[in-house]
Amino acid sequence: MLYALLRSGMIQGRILFLTICAAGIGGTFQFGYNLSIINAPTSHIQEFTNETWQARTGEPLSDHLVLLVWSIIVSLYPLGGLFGALLAGPLAVTLGRKKSLLVNNIFVVLAAILFGFSRKAGSFEMIMLGRLLVGVSAGVSMNIQPMYLGESAPKELRGAVAMSSAIFTALGIVMGQVVGLRELLGDPQAWPLLLASCLVPGALQLASLPLLPESPRYLLIDCGDTEACLAALQRLRGSGDLARELEELEEERAACQGCRARRPWELFQHRALRRQVTSLVVLGSAMELCGNDLMYAYASSVFRKAGVPEAKVQYAIIGTGSCELLMAIVSCVVVERMGRRVLLIGGYSLMTCWGSIFTVALCLQSSFPWTLYLAVACIFASILSFGIGPAGVTGILATELFDQMARPAACMVCGALMWIMLFLVSLGFPFIMEALSHFLYVPFLGVCACGAIYTGLFLPETKGKTLQEISEELHRLNFPRRAQGPTWKSPEVIQSTEL
């Protein structure tokens, strides 16, 4: 992506790249990192919970109560993410995009303190509260970071820059898997330090992001500060001609003149936003219900059955995260060439294909042992397909499909929807595995197919268009009859010569 920025010949490539890194390291990187580091210390935290309860009451917890406490610790993360998603919109409007990301690190600092001293204090409740707080931080950053970067990038690079959020998510997942290795912080005595390590990316963002510019769109349209907007554009674009971009921003400002920021529930009430909201809900739900998380969850058991030694399974799992990271980088490079629709349709279609083969392989494993290797290949192929399209493109829909007044509310809706779906999938996945056995992926196949079909039929292409041009096209799609122009009327007939 840096190559693409520099190749464009714009001197702003370095500042824009630093902005992407500073926003990402404390943004979606934290989401992926905290999502994955909790897997390594599972047994250690469960033992700590049991020992703590026994020290308090003199009796150990039963196995199902230990599992219940652990389930609460895990599920508090998406619950906190839901709260953070609802908080992101008001923060983005009130404080701005950059300041919101900076203030968001308060939750990370508090969580790191709770994690670091939880064992010394003998309190598993501190772990619960810490997970809730890092969830809030992830919910805020996952909504504001794509908004901030999408509004700061030129239209030629907007898709690639906004999709960098997916790169940092995948990078966070891989780094969490690496740091959680037994040779590093996966040791039984090091788990408080492992959980508290989320402070490091937060500190990096606090040190770097204040030196970089705020979103020019926010400064002009929301704050009405033309001078600050021009200064931010000059830092991001260099000393080139900014007249055309300023003209486009002024057009968007004029279109939003006299309007206030929309509230989330108002998005569902306006016909002018019908297609945007429908696309956001359908494709946002499809990303979480497409079964990608299932592939991660099922990978370890498939690897073991395929003969991978127990000591090497953790390294194979790192390979799955690396696949998503690789495809996120590839999609970031090609999105401005191939377009959003192609990547989404291709990603969901390939996931449908690999998921079908994966199901067949699981059904035939007792008769044909070699099909386990086919199942392993399908896991990697499905994760690669998810990374090339749905993982990155879905995150930029709220930025590109909604105007400045509706964008914060759209990000709130998208974020809340994502966290609710993640919570439901996490809650229902064990029951799906038990009920459907080898056919556990069948419900997700339908979701992938529907995602591809909906994208092909209803989602407009936004590649290479300004945000104002996208808004005008969506307005025509929402009001097709008005777009046809005025109805033709015949010339007035003079009654005396009518015959």
Side-chain angles (χ1 to χ4, degrees):
M1 184 174 57
L2 176 59
Y3 171 72
L5 293 175
L6 296 178
R7 191 185 65 172
S8 64
M10 294 181 285
I11 198 170
Q12 85 279 10
R14 185 174 63 88
I15 295 295
L16 185 57
F17 180 73
L18 292 175
T19 302
I20 293 168
C21 292
I25 195 65
T28 52
F29 178 90
Q30 286 276 32
F31 164 67
Y33 187 74
N34 288 292
L35 189 67
S36 62
I37 60 169
I38 198 64
N39 295 322
T42 298
S43 58
H44 310 321
I45 295 177
Q46 289 178 349
E47 290 174 8
F48 167 73
T49 301
N50 198 16
E51 292 170 0
T52 301
W53 187 263
Q54 189 170 6
R56 293 177 184 176
T57 64
E59 296 181 1
L61 280 172
S62 61
D63 290 343
H64 74 276
L65 287 178
V66 171
L67 186 60
L68 176 63
V69 173
W70 173 248
S71 299
I72 293 173
I73 290 173
V74 173
S75 61
L76 280 173
Y77 185 64
L79 183 63
L82 174 60
F83 294 151
L86 297 176
L87 184 63
L91 275 179
V93 173
T94 305
L95 299 179
R97 287 35 167 169
K98 186 177 81 169
K99 287 183 181 177
S100 297
L101 290 173
L102 292 171
V103 170
N104 186 42
N105 284 288
I106 294 174
F107 300 113
V108 176
V109 173
L110 293 176
I113 293 172
L114 290 169
F115 289 144
F117 292 98
S118 57
R119 186 171 63 183
K120 195 169 184 178
S123 171
F124 57 82
E125 294 87 355
M126 293 174 68
I127 302 175
M128 291 181 178
L129 183 56
R131 288 293 290 176
L132 182 69
L133 290 175
V134 292
V136 173
S137 172
V140 171
S141 62
M142 285 195 70
N143 286 329
I144 295 181
Q145 180 190 334
M147 192 191 317
Y148 173 48
L149 296 180
E151 292 178 359
S152 299
K155 69 177 182 179
E156 297 83 6
L157 298 171
R158 188 180 62 243
V161 170
M163 284 185 68
S164 65
S165 300
I167 294 179
F168 281 98
T169 299
L171 181 62
I173 290 173
V174 174
M175 287 302 298
Q177 292 170 339
V178 171
V179 174
L181 291 173
R182 284 185 289 269
E183 294 83 355
L184 297 177
L185 295 181
D187 185 80
Q189 302 301 316
W191 64 262
L193 187 59
L194 173 62
L195 296 182
S197 62
C198 63
L199 182 62
V200 176
L204 289 174
Q205 185 178 71
L206 287 172
S208 57
L209 192 57
L211 306 176
L212 297 163
E214 173 61 278
S215 158
R217 243 179 197 84
Y218 171 78
L219 292 172
L220 180 65
I221 300 175
D222 291 77
C223 301
D225 193 339
T226 306
E227 293 183 3
C229 171
L230 183 59
L233 279 176
Q234 287 173 341
R235 291 194 64 193
L236 289 166
R237 309 286 186 266
S239 56
D241 184 16
L242 303 175
R244 177 57 185 162
E245 188 164 1
L246 275 174
E247 182 182 346
E248 293 171 357
L249 288 176
E250 288 291 353
E251 289 176 2
E252 188 173 351
R253 180 187 184 184
C256 298
Q257 197 72 33
C259 301
R260 58 169 176 79
R262 296 190 185 276
R263 297 176 175 88
W265 56 88
E266 293 177 344
L267 301 183
F268 298 90
Q269 299 172 350
H270 287 269
R271 185 184 172 187
L273 299 174
R274 181 181 299 170
R275 184 179 292 255
Q276 296 94 304
V277 172
T278 304
S279 299
L280 194 68
V281 171
V282 171
L283 296 177
S285 301
M287 186 181 73
E288 292 302 326
L289 299 178
C290 67
N292 185 66
D293 295 330
L294 180 149
M295 287 296 184
Y296 277 114
Y298 212 63
S300 58
S301 61
V302 173
F303 290 149
R304 291 187 184 96
K305 289 180 181 179
V308 178
E310 183 65 33
K312 303 296 183 183
V313 168
Q314 58 178 347
Y315 301 107
I317 292 175
I318 291 176
T320 61
S322 301
C323 284
E324 185 171 338
L325 174 59
L326 174 64
M327 282 298 100
I329 295 173
V330 171
S331 65
C332 190
V333 173
V334 303
V335 65
E336 292 300 345
R337 297 181 182 179
M338 301 181 65
R340 285 64 159 158
R341 282 164 46 87
V342 172
L343 293 182
L344 276 176
I345 295 171
Y348 280 126
S349 299
L350 288 173
M351 289 183 73
T352 305
C353 173
W354 301 126
S356 302
I357 299 174
F358 179 73
T359 302
V360 173
L362 291 182
C363 293
L364 298 178
Q365 62 179 328
S366 58
S367 303
F368 304 97
W370 59 267
T371 57
L372 278 173
Y373 299 101
L374 181 60
V376 170
C378 287
I379 288 175
F380 283 100
S382 181
I383 291 173
L384 287 170
S385 303
F386 178 77
I388 192 68
V393 177
T394 309
I396 65 177
L397 292 179
T399 300
E400 292 194 329
L401 297 183
F402 293 85
D403 61 26
Q404 191 77 5
M405 296 296 103
R407 194 170 297 128
C411 288
M412 287 176 65
V413 171
C414 183
L417 183 69
M418 188 206 75
W419 288 104
I420 291 172
M421 294 299 174
L422 182 61
F423 178 78
L424 292 177
V425 169
S426 302
L427 192 65
F429 177 65
F431 302 100
I432 294 175
M433 284 187 65
E434 184 177 352
L436 299 181
S437 184
H438 298 327
F439 298 96
L440 78 168
Y441 201 78
V442 171
F444 303 101
L445 291 177
V447 174
C448 293
C450 290
I453 293 170
Y454 180 87
T455 303
L457 295 178
F458 300 108
L459 186 69
E461 182 56 72
T462 58
K463 178 184 69 172
K465 300 175 183 176
T466 67
L467 295 178
Q468 183 61 25
E469 289 171 347
I470 296 170
S471 295
E472 292 171 356
E473 180 180 353
L474 286 165
H475 186 79
R476 290 193 296 269
L477 292 173
N478 285 319
F479 300 97
R481 293 184 180 178
R482 296 184 188 179
Q484 294 173 0
T487 305
W488 181 81
K489 294 182 179 180
S490 61
E492 182 180 354
V493 177
I494 302 174
Q495 296 297 323
S496 61
T497 59
E498 183 176 359
L499 295 177

